Amino acid sequence: MEGKHIPKITTPYINLQSDFGFKRLFGTEKFRKALLQFLNAIFGKEILVTDVRFHDKEILPASEKGKRIIYDVYCSMKVPPETSIFKNRHLLREDKEKDIPHHFILEMQNIYEPPFEDRMLYYSSKIISSQGKAGWNYDLDPVISMAITDFDFSFLSPRLVQDFRILENTSGELLTNKFRMLFFSLRQVPSLWEECTDEMQRLLYLIKNMDKLDKTSRPYLDGGYENIFEAAESDRMVAEDVVLYSQSLERLKSYQAGVDYAAEQAMEKGMAIGMEKGLEKGLEKGLEKGLEKAARILIALDKDDDFIADQTGLSLDRIRELRK
């Protein structure tokens, strides 16, 4: 990096929602313990992850016209059969096999880009289909896709965790445990560390707030998250990583500013339409239509109901009706 300007990081810990920060924490051999801690916090007693093996994050298309995939994190997990999702299920594999590989995809998505849910499904499908080989009996390794998002899906009830599997519609019975897709919303993480009630909430809190913390903060003093703090400590980063992180953070801030600007423009446009309609057909009715149009645009931009209500003056009940 000789002769190149090295930006100065002004926070003790880096932003883990940035592309660089997220991949440094969960996608590198150096901090594999942080990933293991996160996975075992997510799965609890359901799955015990004993090790992970990182894979190439880029999958090239089968043809020149195909679309390549670049995952944030793609790895397989070593899971003992007695603690895996195969527990109490018929196994096609020989009993002597000591562990069953579980393919795992982890993504960080700060802004909703439709159709993000379809993109995650496509990502999963590529891992599933890549297992096919000659003479194979369709004994699939499980594929689990996860996304940490800084938004709530407008068409789903807001929850900290959305857990999707293949179930029978009437009975809710599970068809197969070889496919699973989870979404974790940072919007639903408790605002205070003391309000976090389990390991999963605390780890998501750290991902959301790491660049606001220091060594006097409660999460650091409580202990138990040394691997996370070590991965995020800005003073430990070499010059090249500082440059890459600064560029990644700048892209994130620019992207977020662009979305906020689009929301402001949508609001102004909606107000202008409302005033125009008001002059033609009565101010009150026209203004209401304009505000509703602005609200629909803000819904499309994935703004939450409270924000939309604050910007438009519409009631929360009316905003929920517009989402339907």
Side-chain angles (χ1 to χ4, degrees), residues 163-221:
D163 190 350
F164 297 95
R165 313 187 194 204
I166 301 177
L167 307 173
E168 201 286 320
N169 190 53
T170 303
S171 66
E173 294 172 306
L174 182 68
L175 174 65
T176 175
N177 46 20
K178 302 294 185 71
F179 171 78
R180 186 174 179 184
M181 192 156 52
L182 301 103
F183 297 94
F184 303 90
S185 172
L186 296 180
R187 296 285 182 93
Q188 303 303 319
V189 172
S191 57
L192 298 176
W193 176 258
E194 293 77 9
E195 295 174 347
C196 297
T197 58
D198 56 34
E199 182 80 343
M200 181 184 69
Q201 289 187 17
R202 285 187 282 271
L203 287 168
L204 291 172
Y205 179 96
L206 292 176
I207 293 171
K208 182 177 182 177
N209 297 287
M210 182 58 77
D211 60 337
K212 304 178 186 68
L213 304 177
D214 57 35
K215 292 185 178 181
T216 66
S217 59
R218 178 72 180 274
Y220 182 86
L221 296 175

Side-chain angles (χ1 to χ4, degrees), residues 299 305 308-309 314-323:
I299 289 171
D305 290 352
I308 298 171
L314 296 176
S315 68
L316 290 173
D317 289 340
R318 181 56 184 147
I319 294 170
R320 294 187 186 106
E321 289 176 4
L322 295 174
R323 285 187 180 276

Side-chain angles (χ1 to χ4, degrees), residues 1-10 14 20 234-247:
M1 302 301 292
E2 185 177 351
K4 188 170 184 178
H5 172 68
I6 308 299
K8 181 176 176 57
I9 302 176
T10 58
I14 63 175
F20 176 91
S234 58
D235 286 346
R236 290 177 179 264
M237 292 166 57
V238 299
E240 183 179 359
D241 286 344
V242 171
V243 172
L244 292 174
Y245 167 66
S246 299
Q247 292 171 345

Side-chain angles (χ1 to χ4, degrees), residues 110-111 249-265 301 303:
N110 287 288
I111 296 169
L249 186 61
E250 189 61 34
R251 285 194 299 271
L252 175 60
K253 290 179 178 179
S254 297
Y255 200 6
Q256 291 173 331
V259 171
D260 290 341
Y261 176 75
E264 292 175 6
Q265 293 295 104
L301 290 169
K303 295 298 181 179

